Amino acid sequence: MLVNPANITDKKYRKLSIRVSLNGLAFSCSDTLNHTLLSFNEIAFDTSDPSKKIEDRYASAIKQHQALQESYDEIVVLHDNNLSTFVPTALFDEQFLGSYLQYNTKVFETDFFASDEIAPYQMNTVYIPYVNINNFFVDEFGTFTYKHANTILVSKLLDLSKNVDDKKMFVHMNAQHFEIIIVQNQNLLLFNSFDYKTPEDLIYYLLFTAEQLNLNPETLKLEFLGDINEEDAFFKIAYKYIRNVSLFDVSDLQLNNPFSSAEHRKHFILFQS
C-alpha cells in the first residue's frame, strides 16, 4: 500500500517508521527536509496473557505514545519475522509467491503473501506479513507503505559493499532469531535466518555456513548488527572460533543524530528505513 501524496501546504516533513512483531514494536520519527532522525522508542509487549489480541496490544501502545498519534507525510511499517526469502527478478513471478517460501518455511493455503522489489539489485523479497497488524494500521493511519524488515537490511548492506571485493559475513541478532548475510561487491551470496537459544546454536550455524561457502574462519570477516555487544556471550563465542570478528561500524550513520553506536546497531533496520 502506498501513501497518498500530501498537498504541499499540508506537508509536515515528518516520516514515521514502525517495526512490528508479535512481541513488540519500535518506531522512529525523522525529518525528511533535513534528513535527520529526531526520536525513537521501543515497546516490549507483556505476552503473559495469550488470550489478549495482538491488535489490542498495538492499540494500547498507540494510546500511550503521543508520537504514534501525530500526523505524518509518510508512514512505513516494517514486518519483522523470519518468514521471508529472496528471489532473483529473472525467476520471479508475482502469481506464485507462496511457492518461493515453501522450501524454507511452512506455508498454508490461507496465508497472504507479499513482495518487495529491490530494483537496484534485480531481486525481490517474498514474505508473509502480519495481515492482522496491517488491517489494524489501516484503521488507525489510513494508507501507508509496508515492507519486510529484511528488505531494508539486505539492500542497505549491499549498498555498503560497493567496491569491496572481499566476501563479508554479517549477522543481525534478534531476540528469537538471527540472520546471516554474505555479500561481495553488491552481490548477495547468501541469506538465511535461524532460530536460536544458546551461543552454541549461533556458532554451529556460523561455522556450518562458512564451510558451505568455503570460507576460512581464519580469514573470514564477520560483523555483528542488532542487539549485541562485545561482552555478550554470543559475540565471545564467535570471537573464539572466527579470527576477524567485530561490531558493525555505525560512525557514519551517527553524523545527523545524537543516538549511540549500540542504538544504531540494534535499530539499524528501523533507522535506515
Side-chain angles (χ1 to χ4, degrees):
M1 288 179 285
L2 299 177
V3 175
N4 294 325
N7 186 294
I8 188 66
T9 59
D10 297 328
K11 285 185 72 67
K12 300 179 182 299
Y13 300 102
R14 293 291 187 272
K15 175 182 176 181
L16 176 67
S17 298
I18 311 175
R19 187 178 176 189
V20 302
S21 72
L22 298 180
N23 298 314
L25 71 150
F27 63 89
S28 66
C29 175
S30 56
D31 182 329
T32 59
L33 191 62
N34 297 308
H35 305 290
T36 56
L37 185 65
L38 301 176
S39 63
F40 82 96
N41 209 321
E42 185 177 14
I43 305 164
F45 293 151
D46 178 2
T47 57
S48 59
D49 180 5
S51 65
K52 188 173 184 179
K53 292 183 179 180
I54 189 67
E55 297 93 331
D56 294 335
R57 302 185 196 279
Y58 275 87
S60 297
I62 289 175
K63 289 180 181 179
Q64 293 170 16
H65 292 82
Q66 181 63 34
L68 295 174
Q69 302 172 37
E70 297 176 358
S71 298
Y72 297 89
D73 299 326
E74 183 181 0
I75 298 175
V76 178
V77 175
L78 306 172
H79 290 260
D80 179 10
N81 59 35
N82 57 355
L83 307 176
S84 69
T85 192
F86 292 91
V87 181
T89 300
L91 303 176
F92 179 74
D93 188 329
E94 195 170 5
Q95 298 185 31
F96 299 100
L97 298 182
S99 64
Y100 300 118
L101 281 170
Q102 65 183 353
Y103 299 106
N104 63 357
T105 190
K106 191 173 184 178
V107 299
F108 301 92
E109 291 184 3
T110 55
D111 285 336
F112 176 80
F113 304 101
S115 64
D116 301 331
E117 182 182 12
I118 310 178
Y121 301 111
Q122 294 293 298
M123 63 182 183
N124 296 265
T125 315
V126 178
Y127 59 99
I128 300 176
Y130 297 115
V131 175
N132 51 347
I133 297 177
N134 272 353
N135 291 340
F136 171 78
F137 282 157
V138 168
D139 294 335
E140 289 291 325
F141 302 129
T143 53
F144 57 90
T145 300
Y146 70 86
K147 301 178 181 180
H148 197 277
N150 289 334
T151 298
I152 304 297
L153 175 63
V154 169
S155 60
K156 293 302 179 181
L157 292 179
L158 286 171
D159 290 345
L160 295 170
S161 72
K162 185 177 181 179
N163 297 325
V164 179
D165 291 328
D166 291 335
K167 296 177 182 177
K168 185 176 286 188
M169 176 186 288
F170 296 93
V171 176
H172 186 273
M173 299 296 295
N174 285 288
Q176 283 83 33
H177 58 89
F178 65 88
E179 283 69 48
I180 298 178
I181 308 98
I182 300 178
V183 299
Q184 181 183 32
N185 197 6
Q186 296 191 296
N187 290 305
L188 179 64
L189 304 184
L190 180 139
F191 172 89
N192 212 337
S193 183
F194 302 94
D195 294 330
Y196 74 97
K197 292 183 179 179
T198 68
E200 288 73 24
D201 294 335
L202 171 69
I203 195 60
Y204 170 82
Y205 288 121
L206 290 182
L207 294 178
F208 177 78
T209 300
E211 181 183 24
Q212 296 303 302
L213 272 71
N214 296 315
L215 299 175
N216 186 345
E218 290 294 315
T219 57
L220 168 66
K221 294 180 180 179
L222 165 62
E223 295 186 22
F224 277 104
L225 299 94
D227 191 9
I228 191 169
N229 59 64
E230 291 182 343
E231 299 305 314
D232 195 303
F234 294 94
F235 184 94
K236 288 182 176 180
I237 198 169
Y239 190 78
K240 179 178 179 180
Y241 290 95
I242 298 174
R243 180 177 293 273
N244 299 301
V245 179
S246 62
L247 297 177
F248 183 73
D249 183 5
V250 294
S251 55
D252 288 344
L253 306 179
Q254 294 178 269
L255 298 177
N256 293 325
N257 64 73
F259 304 115
S260 69
S261 298
E263 289 168 332
H264 269 275
R265 276 187 289 271
K266 182 176 181 179
H267 299 289
F268 176 81
I269 293 172
L270 181 69
F271 289 3
Q272 295 303 305
S273 64

